[in-house]
Amino acid sequence: MTGHPPGPLWTGRATNQAQWVLASAGAAALALGIELAVDSPWSSGIVPLLMAVVGCLAVGLLILYGTLAFVQVAVTIDAEAVEVRCGHIGLPRRRVCLTEIASAEYLPHITPQQWGGWGHRWRPEKGTAIIVRRGEGLALHLGDGKVFTVTVDDAENAVRVIRAHLRALAG
């Protein structure tokens, strides 16, 4: 693998603009929590007010993180690994060394329903996945028997690049 130039050999991404609608609901819950904390006509006592404020803030932050983290995914393949970064700040992130990959498979049609929704998913019979939208993706079959799936545009070319690396590692 020393003949490859430094840097990425393949990059791809996938986005889901519908997640912005859910992010606005999270922002609304966060704003409600702040509004309750700052200017509340609450007359039932401090404990119920505190519970409402903390609940709204927690729900708002969880929804915002859960949606913004999975509004896009970026996949980079270089001479050493496949790296998957989610959201605008790249978290969560997963790096799979090419030496850990037994095979790669192109999946022409992945749906969130197959995995139980959007986001970072784990199902005992299917493995781990990062699902940001329906459509094409790739599945990495790892040497330990686990499978890692990710939705990404141009996944067929990504699989070709991974397979070429795996052949070079084997040869």
Side-chain angles (χ1 to χ4, degrees):
M1 301 286 276
T2 58
H4 292 296
L9 296 173
W10 184 90
T11 58
R13 54 179 60 247
T15 59
N16 183 350
Q17 300 303 326
Q19 294 285 57
W20 290 107
V21 175
L22 295 173
S24 65
L30 194 61
L32 177 61
I34 293 169
E35 173 65 23
L36 285 174
V38 172
D39 184 34
S40 174
W42 208 282
S43 60
S44 300
I46 190 72
V47 173
L49 174 62
L50 185 62
M51 290 172 60
V53 168
V54 169
C56 285
L57 293 176
V59 165
L61 288 172
L62 285 171
I63 291 174
L64 274 173
Y65 174 75
T67 56
L68 293 180
F70 296 104
V71 75
Q72 71 178 10
V73 64
V75 178
T76 304
I77 303 168
D78 61 24
E80 298 173 2
V82 176
E83 185 173 50
V84 179
R85 301 179 79 179
C86 300
H88 296 289
I89 59 173
L91 293 173
R93 174 185 319 192
R94 176 141 185 212
R95 182 175 171 86
V96 180
C97 291
L98 292 173
T99 57
E100 298 173 19
I101 300 172
S103 66
E105 176 185 6
Y106 170 69
L107 302 172
H109 189 68
I110 301 171
T111 65
Q113 292 80 10
Q114 293 169 330
W115 287 91
W118 284 289
H120 193 276
R121 299 305 203 177
W122 176 77
R123 294 189 59 184
E125 71 278 6
K126 296 182 100 166
T128 305
I130 295 181
I131 307 296
V132 296
R133 52 114 175 105
R134 77 179 62 225
E136 66 179 316
L138 61 96
L140 302 176
H141 298 270
L142 307 179
D144 60 5
K146 296 178 182 174
V147 179
F148 178 64
T149 305
V150 61
T151 54
V152 65
D153 294 333
D154 195 27
E156 195 167 10
N157 281 327
V159 169
R160 281 192 198 113
V161 169
I162 293 168
R163 287 177 179 166
H165 281 299
L166 295 179
R167 281 192 300 274
L169 283 173

